[in-house]
Amino acid sequence: MSAVIVVHGGAWAIPDDLAQASVAGVKAAARRGFLAMKTGASALEAVELAVRTMEDDPVFDAGHGAVLNADGEVELDAIIMDGRTLAAGAVSCVRNIPNPVSLARAVMEKTDHVMLTDRGANRFAQSIGIQEVSPESLVTEQERREWEKNRKYSSGVKDLFNSQWGHD
Amino acid sequence: TVGAVALDCSGNVACATSTGGIRNKMVGRVGDSPVIGSGGYADNLSGAASCTGHGESILRVTLARLILFHMEQGKGTAEAVNVSLTYMGERVRGGGGAIAVSRTGDWAARFTTERMAWAALEEERLTYGLNPGE
């Protein structure tokens, strides 16, 4: 049977200035996963490698390059699933893990559970020695600027609606 | 959001999805990505899928499992993804995209948003796209 890998970098209104880098990123991820399978890796290992490649690429909203929530914090989610056994592992709301997909795989392989969240996921990551980084290192300067702009815009809209000049 | 699906030489499938969420999202909001059957699903009996797009809509239709359900019912991979995305658009007005691979290696990358970067590699042949129709 021939190996196949397909990857995506997110469905949204990708602006022109991110278009070329996004396509380059998904091509690199597909190549990395496929090469791994050619040298004996399983489909599970291939999808983890491919997703790690994109988590490490700041052009994508995952791992490095993550967007910020309303409080200006990073909150990352990931899942991985093995079609052989229906085993699955997932994490949500982790803040300082550069490759959440690998933490999700650890949840699948090293616990009896399917999902760990927030501080429990981080505590588990520490207990098994998963790499941790400062959350700031996952955020690009461009995302900081976008978040600041978005935040000001939101407060501007609220001001309009709360004032006598409010309109839709 | 990023994702991958694969079929290896032994006939095993897998999926993975990872995300940073939505800018300015409510603290503690979790979308579809880490939820089994929504952000991803894999079963050797049918195939694997990874989803992206409006998380709350994907959660409401359990998009990844819906795609595999249609594949189990005999639809081709591209048709299964298209039918599922159309259902999501019609029922909950959500846009998104998905990649899927069947247990026989039939694959698809489809989306209803403006763009989605994707790439597929099989038998040394790399296919990729960004805009609708590519």
Side-chain angles (χ1 to χ4, degrees), chain B residues 19 26 28 33 42 45 52 57 64 69-70 82 100 126 131:
Chain B
T19 191
M26 192 174 181
S33 297
L45 297 180
T52 169
S57 298
F69 167 78
H70 284 301
N82 283 338
L126 177 68
N131 297 302

Side-chain angles (χ1 to χ4, degrees), chain B residues 1-25:
Chain B
T1 306
V2 303
V5 296
L7 168 74
D8 63 29
C9 298
S10 303
N12 298 310
V13 297
C15 72
T17 308
S18 181
T19 191
I22 301 172
R23 181 176 301 127
N24 238 1
K25 70 174 183 172

Side-chain angles (χ1 to χ4, degrees), chain B residues 73-132:
Chain B
Q73 299 299 308
K75 286 188 169 59
T77 308
E79 187 185 7
V81 175
N82 283 338
V83 165
S84 302
L85 288 173
T86 300
Y87 176 82
M88 185 170 81
E90 290 175 351
R91 292 290 288 136
V92 293
R93 296 181 177 273
I99 52 174
V101 64
S102 75
R103 62 193 177 101
T104 60
D106 180 32
W107 61 268
R110 295 283 191 277
F111 54 97
T112 56
T113 51
E114 286 91 333
R115 283 174 159 172
M116 181 179 84
W118 62 270
L121 237 172
E122 56 174 337
E123 295 176 352
E124 311 295 335
R125 192 170 63 249
L126 177 68
T127 316
Y128 56 90
L130 177 72
N131 297 302

